[in-house]
Amino acid sequence: PDTLRTHWLDTIVVTAPRVEMPLARTPAAVNVVGPRELTTMPRSIAVDEAVLLVPGVKVDNQADGKRVHMSIRGQGILTERGIRGVRVMLDGLPLNDPSGFAPDFYDVDWSVVDAVEVLRGPGASLCGGGSSAGVLNIFTAPGGPGPAQGLGSGTYGSNGFWKTTGDVGGQSRNVTYRGSFTHSAGDGYRVHTAFRGDNIMGKAQWTPSARVQLTPMVWYTRFFNDNAEGLNLTWLAQDRRMANPDALTYNEYQDTHRVTGGVVGKVDLGDRQTLSFTPFLRWTGYEESVPSSVQHRDLWSPGGTLQYTIQRSTGPLVHHVSVGSDVQWQGVDEYRHPNLGLAVEGPELLSDEKSHQTGVGVFGTDRPEPEARGGVRPHG
């Protein structure tokens, strides 16, 4: 006689909300782009390659994929640079500042990205401020298992594009680790759109005991791009590859340096209780040449999240209760000198500004679900 067989599929766990939950039980509209899908895509330098198949997501990229405008379901504030309205997380650390602004995707090395979660629609109740349009949760590949092993690759394309990547990872006792370096450069399709960038990333996962897991990480980002500015219809008809004359006269460009360090930690307190914490510190040095001036900006951005989670049963339900707080602070030191031409700075000080931003959020969630009984596995 035929035998009825039951096959359990792999459970996809969504981590964008405050409380991890299986994808099948997530009430929000969530898409998970995993390793299987990502390995079929080029993932050269742009976010639109990773989210190409996600419905409702629109990406307009400039500077060969590094100056990005993103909207989800038509929401997302258009800015001169960077992203507003979308909460962007990379390996558990936020790329958004306290005001909700995310400075493009300079920090993301797409060649080592392992998975992307996209929560479509307002997510402030689950993920804090800056997520009125949705959440983009990015994960790089973990280290290990096994001894150290490395991989190198190179890519060449049109308009002088080339990219080299080196990646090494492994495991030593209770530590898995991964490090990567990527350099990309190109001339761009238009005049005065050359770019070059470096991404260096290192992270480890240390499990000093069965109840403690720590993931320290550090990123270094450098990205420079010439800015050709827009064209009017007359110039466009003349030569769509030309640069705006002002862009050449004043050598318009953007140059970003950034260093980010942080730790994602989790402690099992026993009796179905956990404590999670994520302290981080980010420094950004930004320089931009425009026709009126050359702007210099230094930003120091410390912050962190502390979250306590407990699971308790009440009758037929299991409650996953979490409480915690997000704290971010940012100091901005900015000054401008006049642009005399070709980004040569005059001695006059046009502006000298110092500003501070602070973001504090307190959250509490309860995710009830039916308790599994009689050895029957819950769906998902």
Side-chain angles (χ1 to χ4, degrees):
D2 294 336
T3 301
L4 180 63
R5 296 183 179 181
T6 301
H7 298 276
W8 296 109
L9 301 177
D10 292 338
T11 299
I12 299 176
V13 177
V14 177
T15 57
R18 298 291 185 187
V19 181
E20 295 182 357
M21 67 183 74
L23 179 61
R25 296 186 179 184
T26 305
V30 179
N31 288 83
V32 179
V33 184
R36 181 171 59 183
E37 294 84 5
L38 289 172
T39 53
T40 65
M41 301 176 185
R43 292 184 294 165
S44 56
I45 51 175
V47 61
D48 52 342
E49 296 169 350
V51 300
L52 180 65
L53 302 180
V54 178
V57 178
K58 184 177 185 295
V59 177
D60 298 319
N61 65 55
Q62 305 175 39
D64 298 276
K66 288 296 185 177
R67 295 183 64 194
V68 173
H69 299 147
M70 171 180 282
S71 64
I72 299 178
R73 291 180 170 177
Q75 298 185 55
I77 302 173
L78 183 66
T79 61
E80 174 64 22
R81 59 179 185 274
I83 302 160
R84 290 191 184 275
V86 178
R87 180 77 166 175
V88 184
M89 305 288 291
L90 177 58
D91 281 335
L93 302 184
L95 299 188
N96 306 75
D97 67 18
S99 72
F101 173 80
D104 291 310
F105 290 96
Y106 297 126
D107 298 310
V108 183
D109 183 357
W110 292 100
S111 60
V112 296
V113 169
D114 191 52
V116 180
E117 297 174 354
V118 184
L119 187 153
R120 293 174 286 127
S125 60
L126 290 175
C127 307
S131 53
S132 59
V135 180
L136 191 68
N137 205 13
I138 305 166
F139 301 93
T140 60
Q149 51 186 322
L151 176 68
S153 64
T155 305
Y156 175 77
S158 59
N159 300 312
F161 172 76
W162 62 282
K163 177 179 179 180
T164 57
T165 298
D167 184 15
V168 62
Q171 181 174 3
S172 177
R173 296 185 180 180
N174 58 353
V175 177
T176 62
Y177 56 89
R178 177 170 293 277
S180 65
F181 167 77
T182 295
H183 176 79
S184 59
D187 297 329
Y189 173 77
R190 294 174 57 197
V191 173
H192 203 65
T193 55
F195 67 95
R196 59 182 181 272
D198 295 300
N199 287 91
I200 301 174
M201 185 205 73
K203 72 174 183 177
Q205 187 176 90
W206 178 38
T207 310
S209 70
R211 291 191 169 187
V212 179
Q213 180 177 291
L214 301 173
T215 306
M217 62 191 78
V218 62
W219 316 318
Y220 168 76
T221 301
R222 164 77 190 280
F223 193 82
F224 173 90
N225 66 272
D226 289 324
N227 184 6
E229 288 293 356
L231 301 177
N232 60 34
L233 292 178
T234 300
W235 292 332
L236 186 66
Q238 177 182 342
D239 183 359
R240 64 175 54 248
R241 294 194 178 198
M242 71 179 290
N244 185 306
D246 280 350
L248 300 178
T249 301
Y250 295 99
N251 187 23
E252 295 191 48
Y253 66 81
Q254 296 175 326
D255 192 7
T256 301
H257 296 255
R258 183 153 46 246
V259 179
T260 303
V263 178
V264 176
K266 189 173 185 179
V267 179
D268 183 356
L269 303 177
D271 194 24
R272 296 189 293 176
Q273 302 176 76
T274 59
L275 183 68
S276 304
F277 50 90
T278 309
F280 64 89
L281 174 63
R282 180 168 54 246
W283 169 82
T284 302
Y286 178 79
E287 183 176 309
E288 181 177 17
S289 170
V290 297
S292 62
S293 62
V294 179
Q295 177 192 59
H296 301 266
R297 181 184 296 169
D298 279 310
L299 303 94
W300 288 93
S301 310
T305 297
L306 184 65
Q307 177 174 330
Y308 169 76
T309 302
I310 185 171
Q311 296 182 29
R312 286 292 182 265
S313 299
T314 58
L317 297 177
V318 176
H319 293 266
H320 303 258
V321 179
S322 290
V323 294
S325 178
D326 293 319
V327 179
Q328 281 186 270
W329 181 88
Q330 182 164 266
V332 183
D333 187 359
E334 177 184 317
Y335 65 92
R336 300 170 185 255
H337 289 154
N339 188 342
L340 304 181
L342 299 178
V344 176
E345 299 181 50
E348 181 184 357
L349 191 63
L350 299 180
S351 67
D352 188 1
E353 305 174 16
K354 290 180 173 60
S355 60
H356 302 279
Q357 299 172 332
T358 303
V360 179
V362 178
F363 60 88
T365 64
D366 180 10
R367 179 173 65 87
E369 65 179 0
E371 185 171 12
R373 297 183 182 274
V376 178
R377 292 181 58 176
H379 177 66

